[in-house]
Amino acid sequence: MRKIAIIGVGQTPVEEQWEKSLREIAGEAVFSALLDAQRDEVDGIFIGNMLSGMLSHQENLGALVTDWVGLQGIEAVKVEAACGSGATALRMAMMAVSSGEMDSALAMGVEKMSEMRGGEITAALATAADADYEGAQGVSFVALNALIMKRYMHEYGWKHEHFAPFSINAHANAVHNPFARLQEAISEKDYTRARMISTPINLLDASPTGDGAAALLIVPEESLHITGSKGLRPIITIEGSASATDTLAVHDRHDPLWLSAANKSAIRAYSQAGVTPDDIDLFELHDAFSIMSALSLEACGFAPRGQGPRLGLDGEITITGRIPVATRGGLKARGHPVGATGVYQIAELVQQLRGEAGETQVENARIGMAQNIGGSGATIVTHILKAH
Amino acid sequence: MRKIAIIGVGQTPVEEQWEKSLREIAGEAVFSALLDAQRDEVDGIFIGNMLSGMLSHQENLGALVTDWVGLQGIEAVKVEAACGSGATALRMAMMAVSSGEMDSALAMGVEKMSEMRGGEITAALATAADADYEGAQGVSFVALNALIMKRYMHEYGWKHEHFAPFSINAHANAVHNPFARLQEAISEKDYTRARMISTPINLLDASPTGDGAAALLIVPEESLHITGSKGLRPIITIEGSASATDTLAVHDRHDPLWLSAANKSAIRAYSQAGVTPDDIDLFELHDAFSIMSALSLEACGFAPRGQGPRLGLDGEITITGRIPVATRGGLKARGHPVGATGVYQIAELVQQLRGEAGETQVENARIGMAQNIGGSGATIVTHILKAH
């Protein structure tokens, strides 16, 4: 297997892009990643997307995107794993390049969510859960997360305000990210007084959706040495990449407070990369809801069971903390264009590892991790990147 | 890259399976393929599916299927390329195994279409076309194919009845396929008198949709020699596999009667396999509409431009002809559960190459080709298999 390097990243702002169509948003990210890598060709495109059929009446996204960006003819495909679609697309692109089937590939994610009204979006997002056994009960995606959070607070004795640091940190970092949807700081008072959505999840526990696309251009690392493309920027390689599944329905889990797929994929990624949680300089986690931050930190070995919120309360998740998270705003404040989110996470990691993260640069960041979650923990993908 | 062997195939009947859910149909195909291969484990599952979000309110199919079949934990993902999703899933599975990321994988396709009424299905299928520039005109998928067929008849002087052999051959073969949806022969009179759908496409030019799933278990060929799993059945290897794209909208093509993506992917597959069209013993083509049979035969080098129907009229597409097509009924009579179709085609090729095709066995079949089309020719995947 050939080791993979990420040589170009591109992203659009996450916002309500009423004036742009799905293909235009996707194209912006593609061109931006190609420009960043100073390339104008690629062998294939792997597109993470969850909702285009339901929200934009458009499938066959591979042909849509290659056609629009002027790369007709090359192989292209849409990959879906709910909100984990983005990182899954990166895995497919990696396999294509590491197998030798392609010498370069774009892994991208795109989501156009502002086509429809809120109720339709909520219904579309519910397809990430078990339609027959969860959706049929009328439970929405936020309601499932609310059940998990409530149970967690009961089991471990945390109060709602103890989750505040996750949201406050994400918003503080997003202020400095021009691609973030919510570039505004929030206070603890804002957090505790926010409008309730599904008890105990309030508006500032939940990530905003949005329109957006991000793209990564990958090549075999060996090709960089051959072509002399190693420039002034550090080379960013993928050292670990793993995906795992859990039961689709939360009620089928032996322990609904343990993200077993996060644990499995993280352990495999650590092993591939030859690192432990102590070696990770920053962690772009999947903070779709603040409870997910806590559960991810625990499943990946950064905190003991039930102690995720402690990291926030002790200031360990900020840019200068032990394990910075959501350094560019996370899902919470950068925004969550669902099928694209996993690619935004990796693009942000690359920015950090290149030292291009400006005011939210994690000092001496050399090894970074990203974790993308599809459904209520049903499909989880973990990547570990390293700067050389 | 490791060469891939297909060691297990499974399929469900294509029909309206009102009593079964999406996961149950998918599970049947998985168990059937594992049983055929005499295995009970696999490293990952790649699921071709187009419509589950729109028709069953279910995405995150990777977790749905692994959960249902008792393989929780392993990597799984849905792959979408409209009606070309099935063969695309096989390509993703191949890359996973040939890269060494996995030592075995299931490539499968599943579609549950009888959840909804006809109008909703027609709208969902239209997402394979260009939503902004074709769908917005109110043109359905069959209407797009009708425009292509009409133009073809005009350009090359064919009459509607000249396409009859494609449908008659498919139905004749389906009589002997227990998984086929329409196990009934049709006459030329039936064909010419069938109800008009979208001039000049009538009911017997069009393939029936349906519920169905098919699955293929793949492993590196080298592993068969190591484990001694080479039994009495021939080993079936994938000798060629390629995917290409064209413009999404038909009107954007320089020549709407030339399937450039079929041509590109076929040429690449021929080259990989080291064969020419003359070496192909049978061809499972994508006869969603009879016009597509003609265009595929031409793009793949089996007939000169504009002469596809000649092969049918000369009896060359039957089981004993020069290039047998739709040997198990094709999309026309086996049925077209859209995201699963590409996997059915490969499963049928494997049956033929193993010599297990019963009454429709192509004598001495050793090299077979399958071609799966997504959209009106926008995404096309070609595979060449060989028996050893």
Side-chain angles (χ1 to χ4, degrees):
Chain A
M1 267 177 73
R2 305 196 285 186
K3 184 179 274 196
I4 302 298
I6 301 175
I7 61 165
V9 303
Q11 46 188 319
T12 74
V14 178
E15 56 194 0
E16 292 185 9
Q17 304 196 33
W18 292 100
E19 76 292 4
K20 288 181 193 153
S21 67
L22 180 66
R23 78 185 83 199
E24 290 173 300
I25 297 171
E28 269 186 44
V30 169
F31 291 132
S32 170
L34 288 171
L35 188 67
D36 184 49
Q38 298 188 285
R39 301 244 179 158
D40 51 16
E41 285 185 333
V42 65
D43 290 346
I45 306 185
F46 297 81
I47 305 165
N49 172 273
M50 177 181 176
L51 303 170
S52 71
M54 289 176 276
L55 300 186
S56 306
H57 306 304
Q58 183 67 68
E59 292 291 358
N60 217 351
L61 292 200
L64 178 85
V65 173
T66 52
D67 189 3
W68 178 251
V69 302
L71 291 169
Q72 295 99 340
I74 67 169
E75 180 163 14
V77 57
K78 164 173 164 172
V79 173
E80 187 277 328
C83 305
S85 301
T88 303
L90 175 56
R91 277 192 57 68
M92 298 302 112
M94 282 182 65
M95 292 181 203
V97 174
S98 66
S99 70
E101 183 76 20
M102 298 179 185
D103 287 323
S104 64
L106 268 167
M108 66 173 299
V110 60
E111 208 72 70
K112 177 88 175 95
M113 304 182 70
S114 53
E115 304 263 342
M116 295 285 179
R117 285 162 304 178
E120 290 166 310
I121 294 174
T122 300
L125 288 172
T127 63
D130 191 315
D132 294 339
Y133 298 100
E134 291 179 325
Q137 310 297 324
V139 66
S140 69
F141 203 67
V142 56
L144 281 169
N145 279 273
L147 289 168
I148 295 172
M149 186 168 181
K150 200 151 190 165
R151 182 76 196 172
Y152 183 86
M153 290 163 68
H154 170 78
E155 287 288 337
Y156 298 109
W158 296 106
K159 297 213 171 76
H160 180 258
E161 66 256 33
H162 295 140
F163 293 84
F166 292 122
S167 300
I168 293 169
N169 170 66
H171 277 266
N173 292 336
V175 168
H176 308 288
N177 179 3
F179 301 109
R181 174 147 194 193
L182 304 174
Q183 298 173 36
E184 47 193 298
I186 61 164
S187 66
E188 188 167 344
K189 198 162 135 192
D190 293 331
Y191 176 79
T192 51
R193 291 188 183 178
R195 187 156 54 85
M196 189 54 69
I197 299 176
S198 181
T199 315
I201 291 180
N202 75 21
L203 193 65
L204 290 177
D205 285 303
S207 55
T209 61
D211 305 330
L216 311 166
L217 184 63
I218 67 170
V219 297
E221 188 201 12
E222 63 197 29
S223 70
L224 297 180
H225 303 292
I226 294 164
T227 63
S229 315
K230 180 168 176 9
L232 295 173
R233 297 196 301 205
I235 290 181
I236 310 299
T237 55
I238 301 177
E239 299 287 318
S241 172
S243 177
T245 48
D246 196 349
T247 67
L248 185 58
V250 175
H251 60 248
D252 280 333
R253 292 179 199 155
H254 177 66
D255 180 351
L257 302 181
W258 179 242
L259 294 177
S260 73
N263 181 258
K264 277 180 192 152
S265 63
I267 285 179
R268 208 173 310 146
Y270 289 142
S271 157
Q272 291 166 354
V275 300
T276 70
D278 285 345
D279 299 312
I280 305 295
D281 296 319
L282 73 153
F283 179 25
E284 290 302 334
L285 46 65
H286 192 93
D287 55 336
F289 300 99
S290 48
I291 178 64
M292 281 294 136
S293 297
L295 297 184
S296 297
L297 286 165
E298 296 169 22
C300 297
F302 295 106
R305 288 293 308 266
Q307 299 305 308
R310 173 62 50 207
L311 291 181
L313 296 167
D314 291 349
E316 296 191 334
I317 60 168
T318 64
I319 293 300
T320 54
R322 178 162 66 88
I323 181 68
V325 306
T327 69
R328 307 295 287 156
L331 282 64
K332 177 65 202 79
R334 175 241 297 128
H336 183 26
V338 294
T341 288
V343 182
Y344 274 95
Q345 292 178 311
I346 305 280
E348 292 163 353
L349 267 194
V350 171
Q351 290 183 310
Q352 285 282 3
L353 297 175
R354 282 179 181 171
E356 296 173 355
E359 306 231 25
T360 63
Q361 180 65 48
V362 174
E363 219 174 315
N364 299 321
R366 211 173 60 87
I367 300 176
M369 182 158 112
Q371 190 167 70
N372 191 200
I373 303 183
S376 319
T379 307
I380 305 190
V381 189
T382 305
H383 281 98
I384 295 175
L385 273 54
K386 189 171 173 182
H388 304 263
Chain B
M1 267 178 73
R2 305 197 284 188
K3 184 179 273 196
I4 302 298
I6 301 175
I7 60 166
V9 302
Q11 46 188 318
T12 74
V14 178
E15 56 194 0
E16 291 185 11
Q17 304 196 32
W18 293 100
E19 76 292 2
K20 287 180 194 156
S21 67
L22 180 66
R23 79 186 81 200
E24 289 173 301
I25 296 170
E28 268 187 45
V30 169
F31 292 132
S32 171
L34 288 171
L35 188 67
D36 184 50
Q38 298 189 284
R39 301 247 178 156
D40 52 15
E41 283 184 336
V42 66
D43 288 348
I45 305 185
F46 297 81
I47 305 165
N49 172 273
M50 177 182 176
L51 303 170
S52 71
M54 288 177 276
L55 299 187
S56 305
H57 305 304
Q58 183 69 67
E59 292 290 356
N60 217 351
L61 293 201
L64 178 85
V65 173
T66 52
D67 188 3
W68 179 251
V69 301
L71 291 169
Q72 293 100 342
I74 67 168
E75 180 162 12
V77 57
K78 164 173 165 172
V79 173
E80 187 277 328
C83 305
S85 301
T88 303
L90 174 56
R91 276 192 57 68
M92 298 301 115
M94 281 182 65
M95 292 180 202
V97 174
S98 66
S99 70
E101 184 75 22
M102 298 180 185
D103 287 323
S104 64
L106 268 167
M108 66 174 298
V110 60
E111 208 71 70
K112 176 88 175 98
M113 305 183 69
S114 53
E115 304 263 343
M116 295 286 179
R117 285 163 304 178
E120 289 165 310
I121 294 173
T122 301
L125 288 173
T127 63
D130 192 315
D132 294 339
Y133 298 100
E134 292 179 324
Q137 310 298 325
V139 65
S140 69
F141 203 66
V142 58
L144 281 169
N145 279 273
L147 289 168
I148 295 172
M149 186 168 180
K150 198 151 190 165
R151 181 78 196 172
Y152 184 87
M153 289 162 68
H154 170 78
E155 288 287 339
Y156 297 109
W158 296 106
K159 298 214 170 79
H160 180 258
E161 65 256 33
H162 295 141
F163 293 84
F166 292 122
S167 299
I168 292 169
N169 170 65
H171 277 266
N173 292 335
V175 167
H176 307 288
N177 179 2
F179 300 110
R181 175 148 192 191
L182 303 175
Q183 299 173 34
E184 48 193 300
I186 61 164
S187 66
E188 189 168 343
K189 197 161 136 189
D190 292 333
Y191 176 79
T192 51
R193 292 189 182 177
R195 187 155 54 84
M196 189 55 67
I197 299 176
S198 179
T199 315
I201 291 180
N202 75 20
L203 192 65
L204 290 177
D205 285 302
S207 55
T209 61
D211 305 330
L216 310 165
L217 184 62
I218 66 170
V219 297
E221 188 201 11
E222 63 196 29
S223 70
L224 297 180
H225 302 292
I226 295 164
T227 62
S229 316
K230 179 167 174 13
L232 295 174
R233 298 196 300 205
I235 291 182
I236 310 299
T237 56
I238 301 177
E239 299 288 316
S241 171
S243 177
T245 49
D246 196 348
T247 68
L248 185 59
V250 175
H251 62 247
D252 281 333
R253 292 181 198 152
H254 177 66
D255 180 350
L257 302 182
W258 180 243
L259 295 178
S260 73
N263 181 258
K264 277 181 191 150
S265 63
I267 284 178
R268 208 174 309 144
Y270 289 143
S271 158
Q272 291 166 353
V275 299
T276 71
D278 284 345
D279 299 313
I280 304 296
D281 297 318
L282 73 154
F283 179 25
E284 290 301 334
L285 46 66
H286 192 92
D287 55 337
F289 300 99
S290 47
I291 178 65
M292 281 294 136
S293 297
L295 296 184
S296 298
L297 286 164
E298 296 169 22
C300 297
F302 295 106
R305 287 294 307 268
Q307 299 305 310
R310 173 62 48 208
L311 291 181
L313 295 168
D314 291 349
E316 296 191 335
I317 60 169
T318 63
I319 293 301
T320 54
R322 178 161 66 88
I323 181 68
V325 305
T327 67
R328 306 295 287 154
L331 282 65
K332 177 65 202 81
R334 174 238 299 126
H336 184 25
V338 293
T341 287
V343 182
Y344 274 95
Q345 293 178 310
I346 306 279
E348 291 163 354
L349 267 195
V350 171
Q351 289 183 310
Q352 286 281 4
L353 297 175
R354 282 180 180 169
E356 297 173 353
E359 306 231 27
T360 63
Q361 180 66 48
V362 174
E363 219 173 316
N364 299 321
R366 211 173 60 86
I367 299 177
M369 181 158 113
Q371 190 167 70
N372 190 200
I373 302 182
S376 319
T379 307
I380 305 191
V381 188
T382 305
H383 281 96
I384 295 175
L385 273 54
K386 189 172 174 181
H388 303 264

